């Protein structure tokens, strides 16, 4: 038998154009924030549809910066879905706030507002809807919920570039919308993040916080405490090229997603996570909800296909069990309080959808999945 192929979970789509753009920046002898950052930011604002935005070194720090600029800190609680990448929760901890985990919807796996409702305390100050796996949370409902409880909204749109909810780009609904340009995201600059916002005062605050508490470089008089959240112009030059390919990237991802749907249509008992209501989808991964998902992942790995589980529920994270052990306020860490998140973790697995994935590779992956179920219980 020939060696099985080796299909990774993700692969960025970089080429000659990105290489040329990066070397052009180096040739100018100015690689710190400069004209490419200004241009990339302008394009991002056009796409997202907010008048303002600032860069951060990565998505996690974009979230932390947004929370900080909104005044979130010790004693404040932030509602965060139990199923997300841990960076969402760690950003809250980084600013001294308490992440309160919220179960997810059993159909969309996005934050469940009915569960959130039961978790409101006098300390609840913000909600962080996460647009998970490339489709949007129900932002109309989130906005109504936030209004009712006087909460700030920080959208975690790290996986949401190109995703629209009721014709509006995600990240434009909340007080702040945060994005990531890590290498597995739809648009990548290696590392990188962005905070989009509508309020000029918040924008001003974000600018001071990210640049050592001053408006512009060159002055050593600092009216405020601030930090360094800057990026480089090389990253922005790469980002500009990536954004110019966005339509192609999205089309490829959707095409690949459709291949999976087509090839798996006959297989009973499995479901592919679809676009949430009123939202488009730019598949971040192909999320398959299937019986014996973890066994299937092992089987796929033996066949040369890298799959991943759905994100491990926050309430089960060993780091949080330790962290909340001696804290006065803490989220519940009991499985019983997060039935949908637990079911999602048990049944969900992520299949690759990166733009360079080929038709024959998807056919191969699906063939392995079908074979796994045909074999039945080992
Ligand atoms: C990637 C990601 C982050 C963190 O972004 P980084 O750039 O890796 O720090 C946060 N939340 C979600 C949902 C993500 O997918």
């Amino acid at each position: 038998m020939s060696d099985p192929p080796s299909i990774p979970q993700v692969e960025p789509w970089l080429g000659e154009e990105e290489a040329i753009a990066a070397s052009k920046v180096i040739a100018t002898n100015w690689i710190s924030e400069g004209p490419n950052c200004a241009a990339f930011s302008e394009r991002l604002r056009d796409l997202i549809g907010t008048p303002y935005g600032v860069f951060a070194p990565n998505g996690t720090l974009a979230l932390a910066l947004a929370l900080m600029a909104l005044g979130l800190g010790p004693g404040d609680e932030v509602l965060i879905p139990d199923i997300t990448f841990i960076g969402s929760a760690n950003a809250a901890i980084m600013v001294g706030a308490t992440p309160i985990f919220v179960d997810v919807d059993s159909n969309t796996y996005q934050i469940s507002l009915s569960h959130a409702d039961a978790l409101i305390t006098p300390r609840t100050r913000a909600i962080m809807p996460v647009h998970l796996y490339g489709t949007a949370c129900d932002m109309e409902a989130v906005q109504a919920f936030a209004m009712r409880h006087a909460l700030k909204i920080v959208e975690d749109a790290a996986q949401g570039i190109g995703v629209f909810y009721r014709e509006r780009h995600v990240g434009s609904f909340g007080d702040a919308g945060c994005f990531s340009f890590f290498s597995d995201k739809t648009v990548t600059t290696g590392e990188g993040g962005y905070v989009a916002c509508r309020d000029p005062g918040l924008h001003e605050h974000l600018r001071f916080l990210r640049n050592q508490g001053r408006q512009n470089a060159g002055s050593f008089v600092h009216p405020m405490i601030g930090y360094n959240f800057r990026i480089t112009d090389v990253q922005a030059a790469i980002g500009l090229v990536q954004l110019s390919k966005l339509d192609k990237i999205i089309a490829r991802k959707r095409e690949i997603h459709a291949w999976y749907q087509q090839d798996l249509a006959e297989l009973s008992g499995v479901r592919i996570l679809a676009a949430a209501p009123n939202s488009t989808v730019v598949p971040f991964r192909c999320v398959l909800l299937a019986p014996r998902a973890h066994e299937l992942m092992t089987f796929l790995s033996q066949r040369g296909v890298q799959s991943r589980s759905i994100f491990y529920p926050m309430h089960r994270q060993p780091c949080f069990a330790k962290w909340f052990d001696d804290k006065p306020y803490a989220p519940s860490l009991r499985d019983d309080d997060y039935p949908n998140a637990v079911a999602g973790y048990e049944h969900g697995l992520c299949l690759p959808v990166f733009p360079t994935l080929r038709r024959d590779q998807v056919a191969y992956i699906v063939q392995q999945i079908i074979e796994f179920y045909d074999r039945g219980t080992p």
Side-chain angles (χ1 to χ4, degrees), residues 12 40 124 133 238 252 281 291 374:
F40 187 31
T124 315
Y133 293 118
I238 295 170
R252 287 296 312 229
V281 60
D374 276 352

Side-chain angles (χ1 to χ4, degrees), residues 314-336:
M314 295 300 109
H315 77 272
R316 282 190 179 181
Q317 296 289 349
C319 59
F320 293 141
K322 277 186 231 157
W323 178 260
F324 288 115
D325 194 39
D326 61 352
K327 301 291 183 290
Y329 306 118
S332 157
L333 302 181
R334 290 160 31 92
D335 269 1
D336 290 356

Side-chain angles (χ1 to χ4, degrees), residues 284-305:
F284 177 67
R285 301 287 191 274
C286 178
V287 178
L288 190 68
L289 294 147
R292 296 157 58 213
H294 290 248
E295 272 174 68
L296 174 57
M297 279 189 277
T298 309
F299 183 81
L300 287 174
S301 132
Q302 286 158 359
R303 298 299 176 96
V305 178

